[in-house]
Amino acid sequence: MEEPELELKVLMLNINVGNNSELMEKCRTLKEYSEFVACIRSYAEKEKIEDAVEHAVTECIQNGILADFLTAQRSEVVAMSIFEYNEEEIRKLRKAEYEYGFDMGKAEGKAEGKAEDILIWLSELGEIPADLHDRIMQEKDENVLRKWLKLAAKAESMEDFLKGILEDTTV
């Protein structure tokens, strides 16, 4: 479609402790919730999330932070907070895995491109032996592939290329 049928604008507000002080002053419950989350995070740096949530709930009740709610709904709050925190950690982990996979895929693609370039240069010299073709395509080290590409570009024969590979002790 040229124009969307639905347009959505969202205003996101940072409700972490120390942010949006004007909003926090207008909504005491939101401010206390922010303090509760900060307390969980503080304990979570030192202990398992289950223990961190328990300690945070106890501390917040003692300090009058969401005290009525936490006292009345303690077990549900603990269970939900653990679930929410674990879900956030899983999201972070998935994002890191995705980024790592993306970087790995990018590196593999670059290596494959260099290997294909080597094969193009070598094809100008004659038929490429199957074992050499496979060895080049299996190589993933970009430094090695870069050296091989230079060798292939300079080689006057397949034998020159093979000799260059054998003489390079770093390969």
Side-chain angles (χ1 to χ4, degrees):
M1 278 183 207
E2 287 184 31
E3 290 190 39
E5 291 182 21
L6 172 69
E7 184 175 324
L8 175 66
K9 291 184 180 183
V10 178
L11 173 63
M12 291 181 55
L13 300 172
N14 185 345
I15 61 165
N16 288 300
V17 170
N19 294 288
N20 286 302
S21 57
E22 186 179 331
L23 175 63
M24 295 299 180
E25 293 308 315
K26 290 180 180 177
C27 183
R28 180 176 169 218
T29 304
L30 185 60
K31 180 181 180 183
E32 290 182 8
Y33 174 75
S34 175
E35 292 168 347
F36 172 63
V37 171
C39 191
I40 293 173
R41 288 178 178 155
S42 175
Y43 279 116
E45 290 176 5
K46 302 173 240 155
E47 54 195 31
K48 293 188 305 183
I49 187 61
E50 294 83 4
D51 297 332
V53 171
E54 283 288 348
H55 286 129
V57 169
T58 300
E59 182 178 313
C60 287
I61 290 171
Q62 290 171 350
N63 293 328
I65 298 169
L66 297 176
D68 293 340
F69 179 76
L70 292 175
T71 300
Q73 305 294 325
R74 183 182 189 108
S75 60
E76 290 86 352
V77 168
V78 169
M80 196 58 159
S81 296
I82 291 169
F83 174 77
E84 289 288 328
Y85 193 89
N86 286 338
E87 186 177 44
E88 181 180 331
E89 289 300 308
I90 289 168
R91 251 185 266 134
K92 286 178 186 176
L93 181 61
R94 284 185 181 153
K95 183 178 184 236
E97 288 172 345
Y98 170 79
E99 289 171 353
Y100 175 77
F102 180 81
D103 290 345
M104 290 298 295
K106 187 175 174 183
E108 287 175 18
K110 287 170 80 174
E112 188 175 317
K114 278 186 178 50
E116 289 171 354
D117 289 345
I118 293 166
L119 294 173
I120 289 169
W121 278 100
L122 292 178
S123 68
E124 297 293 321
L125 302 175
E127 188 174 333
I128 303 168
D131 58 334
L132 178 60
H133 178 278
D134 293 345
R135 172 69 181 101
I136 291 168
M137 289 306 295
Q138 291 171 2
E139 183 59 56
K140 300 300 176 211
D141 186 324
E142 283 193 62
N143 292 324
V144 170
L145 290 166
R146 196 174 294 110
K147 289 177 185 179
W148 288 359
L149 183 56
K150 288 177 184 177
L151 282 171
K154 292 177 183 177
E156 294 184 20
S157 67
M158 196 67 65
E159 291 75 28
D160 282 349
F161 177 76
L162 291 169
K163 182 180 171 189
I165 289 177
L166 294 175
E167 288 175 357
D168 186 357
T169 58
T170 62
V171 177

